[in-house]
Amino acid sequence: MSATVLVINSGSSSIKYQLVDPDAGTALASGLVERIGEDAGHIEHKAGSTKTERHDRVADHGDGLRQVLALFEEVGPALSEAGIVAVGHRVVQGGKEFAGPALVTDDVVATIERLAPLAPLHNPANLTGIRVGRELLPDVPHVVVFDTAFFQTLPDAAATYALDREVAEKYSVRRYGAHGTSHQYVSAKAAEVLGRDSLKQIVLHLGNGASASAVVGGKAVDTSMGLTPLEGLVMGTRTGDIDPAVVFHLKRNAGMSVDEIDDLFNKRSGLKGLTGENDLREVHRLIAEGDTGARVGLDVYTYRLRKYIGSYAAVMGGLDVLSFTAGVGENDDIVRAEAVAGLEFLGVEIDPERNAGRKKEPTVISPDGAKVTVMVIPTNEELAIARQAMSLI
Ligand code: AMP
């Protein structure tokens, strides 16, 4: 029996999980608990080709995880026989404290708690998952893997805001990045597929959240997310880069509170704010129907991508590999084509036939002999978390 890792990604009202065989690189089971604390909850558990759904109330995260563990025993694979050697937890914000995965101890929990003001939407929810996980699975080591860790190598010039130094230091205001586990996994995969180490790479993680990174020889040198995951690319519902004076303007002239502006920027902007839809499939449907606002929305989205590709090529003094990943990056050939349109001068071009369609495997989409290798690389954050957990125990 090979060793497995249970990977837990705990959100404010949901828990995603996967039972991973890190050696084989496969998932033995996966699932999702949603609507925790609401009248009717929802649990979806997939094992092989069998999908089981439950619609009972899920009182809290502990109740959710307890129901999931019961499902494992009931429909399989039985955890008691699955050879679990560790539980891996995703944590969004590790601040300057964590440059890699860490074994969960009471001290580590306290540090993640202390960092919560930097990720108020995420760290408390991640901690709840860790707490109930340790309670229900006390006999195996628990490991935390941070979204920020891969970006601890950012040079000061990239990580520092041009803000009064005392204020920045006192309130830990700097660029931490996010989605690091995915950027690390995808850039390492590209190097593995191409059989080359010393590469200058750009990774575009385009999901509902979206971020870009510049990676030289396996080390991150810049990334688009900052203090929080709000900075950078246009996202499903987030603004990405915006003049901070928009906050002052709305506060002074629209009478909006900071919380209302936070909600506006994080949940009602991006593609959703521009087109009414945060899902690219819906945006394309609107464009096909002749919706000019949706067309402008997609243009804003891909224009921002081109700006980042150009600036990261400049930061690295060149570019060898450009990779697309996550829900949009893996599935949307129109976005991929429009994101690189006009970048031939950098050596970036794609072959329309190779680019066509959704990609489930690492795929080169640039023509043979192109200066820059453009790829689609499906991300696998759960596998990356499982492997990092294994590396620690
Ligand atoms: P993620 O956050 O990585 O799960 O990505 C979710 C997003 O991927 C959705 O909001 C869609 O915008 C996008 N997406 C998923 N499937 C497709 C598809 N077939 N074509 C275009 N976009 C897709």
Side-chain angles (χ1 to χ4, degrees):
M1 182 173 57
S2 52
T4 60
V5 176
L6 181 66
V7 176
I8 295 180
N9 182 353
S10 174
S12 55
S13 64
S14 69
I15 304 171
K16 283 191 210 149
Y17 61 91
Q18 217 176 82
L19 182 66
V20 179
D21 178 336
D23 284 336
T26 52
L28 306 179
S30 64
L32 171 69
V33 184
E34 289 176 297
R35 303 202 277 275
I36 295 173
E38 294 181 28
D39 287 344
H42 178 228
I43 301 183
E44 191 179 291
H45 178 82
K46 282 191 218 152
S49 54
T50 316
K51 185 162 117 180
T52 311
E53 283 194 81
R54 294 283 152 84
H55 295 277
D56 306 327
R57 180 174 152 76
V58 181
D60 52 31
H61 285 71
D63 184 27
L65 194 57
R66 216 170 280 120
Q67 292 194 41
V68 167
L69 297 182
L71 270 176
F72 268 106
E73 297 310 317
E74 206 179 308
V75 299
L79 285 185
S80 44
E81 292 159 23
I84 293 192
V85 295
V87 179
H89 297 268
R90 177 186 181 206
V91 176
V92 166
Q93 180 57 266
K96 282 171 91 170
E97 279 76 355
F98 298 101
L103 213 51
V104 176
T105 61
D106 292 342
D107 277 354
V108 165
V109 167
T111 308
I112 298 170
E113 231 158 29
R114 191 165 51 68
L115 293 167
L118 295 172
L121 299 178
H122 297 102
N123 272 31
N126 302 153
L127 275 168
T128 308
I130 295 168
R131 192 171 43 72
V132 301
R134 287 175 93 194
E135 259 167 47
L136 296 174
L137 297 162
D139 299 327
V140 285
H142 289 246
V143 174
V144 277
V145 176
F146 297 92
D147 254 28
T148 47
F150 184 53
F151 298 119
Q152 287 295 299
T153 53
L154 253 52
D156 286 345
T160 310
Y161 290 113
L163 185 68
D164 178 276
R165 257 165 62 182
E166 266 180 44
V167 174
E169 262 164 44
K170 185 161 177 205
Y171 295 99
S172 306
V173 179
R174 75 194 291 274
R175 309 190 59 250
Y176 296 100
H179 289 154
T181 308
S182 177
H183 286 274
Q184 183 172 21
Y185 175 85
V186 169
S187 53
K189 192 66 161 178
E192 181 194 316
V193 169
L194 300 175
R196 288 171 62 194
D197 286 333
S198 49
L199 291 165
K200 292 173 176 169
Q201 301 197 46
I202 293 176
V203 177
L204 300 174
H205 175 112
L206 310 179
N208 202 27
S211 56
S213 68
V215 181
V216 177
K219 283 205 166 121
V221 297
D222 206 348
T223 192
S224 59
M225 285 178 167
L227 176 78
T228 75
L230 183 58
E231 191 180 341
L233 302 176
V234 177
M235 309 183 210
T237 62
R238 296 182 207 139
T239 56
D241 295 335
I242 190 166
D243 184 344
V246 175
V247 177
F248 322 144
H249 176 68
L250 293 178
K251 188 148 176 25
R252 290 179 187 132
N253 298 297
M256 294 175 80
S257 68
V258 168
D259 285 343
E260 283 169 337
I261 300 171
D262 189 329
D263 185 73
L264 173 71
F265 283 14
N266 275 295
K267 301 196 178 138
R268 295 191 281 132
S269 297
L271 284 172
K272 173 102 180 154
L274 290 168
T275 72
E277 300 286 350
N278 62 301
D279 190 311
L280 253 312
R281 286 165 289 197
E282 294 302 312
V283 176
H284 292 309
R285 184 183 56 74
L286 291 173
I287 294 172
E289 286 170 1
D291 186 322
T292 48
R295 181 64 256 176
V296 173
L298 185 59
D299 288 345
V300 175
Y301 185 92
T302 54
Y303 177 81
R304 186 82 51 88
L305 285 170
R306 282 197 296 284
K307 264 170 95 162
Y308 269 90
I309 295 169
S311 66
Y312 284 176
V315 159
M316 295 187 288
L319 178 61
D320 300 309
V321 183
L322 170 67
S323 299
F324 289 90
T325 194
V328 180
E330 292 163 28
N331 296 309
D332 195 326
D333 46 13
I334 301 174
V335 164
R336 292 194 298 255
E338 293 188 6
V340 302
L343 296 184
E344 294 82 4
F345 79 99
L346 279 177
V348 177
E349 48 184 320
I350 59 179
D351 175 318
E353 268 177 38
R354 289 182 175 178
N355 181 43
R358 305 169 65 182
K359 310 290 178 203
K360 302 267 171 231
E361 297 293 331
T363 308
V364 173
I365 59 169
S366 46
D368 290 339
K371 187 161 164 274
V372 176
T373 306
V374 184
M375 302 182 80
V376 181
I377 299 187
T379 193
N380 193 337
E381 287 169 282
E382 290 78 13
L383 176 59
I385 290 172
R387 286 191 172 150
Q388 291 192 39
M390 283 295 273
S391 74
L392 258 201
I393 62 167

